[in-house]
Amino acid sequence: MKAIIQRVAKASVTVGEEQISSIGRGICVLLGISVEDTQKDMEYMVRKILNLRLFEDENGKHWCKSVMDKQYEILLVSQFTLQCVLKGNKPDFHLAMGAEQSETFYNGLLQHIRKAYKPELVKDGKFGAYMQVHIQNDGPVTIELESPTGPSDPKQKNYNAPSSFAVGCKAG
């Protein structure tokens, strides 16, 4: 499973001419589900999404508080294109979980987040719809997150090597 998490001042989802979800300050999570994802991946992602420290504390110290600590909102949007593998310049989505199975998986993850947090603060897009996602990135802050199992396509290189940038950060 892959997620792009953006700290936002506000975000919304529109389908056609109708705005179906909107949030104020918080995080927008674009989520791509892989054919290999399991319940373990779901639990990992929920824990990371809810506990990722992207916000300042009451003294202005950065990277100290999570969306839950601050009681901010979450907008979750399914995005199968995150499971893309490029074949030359053409995107290939064979690593993305099929629509019916991934909708069930996505709804399970959404419910897991709502159960672990405050359901009224967790919004989502419309699964499978052509959506316009409006994001006012705050910072900008954008984090890429991948569950530990991740896709095992031999054509994919492993870019999950530890980064020296993470020095001083504690894993959750």
Side-chain angles (χ1 to χ4, degrees), residues 87-126:
K87 291 190 174 185
N89 290 325
K90 183 179 180 188
D92 178 288
F93 303 107
H94 74 276
L95 294 178
M97 187 179 283
E100 188 174 310
Q101 186 181 5
S102 64
E103 183 173 12
T104 300
F105 198 93
Y106 171 82
N107 287 329
L109 187 136
L110 181 62
Q111 292 309 315
H112 197 94
I113 289 175
R114 286 180 172 152
K115 185 177 178 183
Y117 189 35
K118 293 183 174 186
E120 68 275 11
L121 296 180
V122 181
K123 311 288 176 58
D124 70 315
K126 184 174 182 182

Side-chain angles (χ1 to χ4, degrees), residues 3-7 52 54 63 137 141-145 165:
I4 301 297
I5 302 169
Q6 295 187 335
R7 185 177 73 187
L52 192 58
L54 299 178
W63 317 112
N137 194 312
V141 173
T142 301
I143 304 294
E144 183 177 14
L145 182 60
F165 179 75

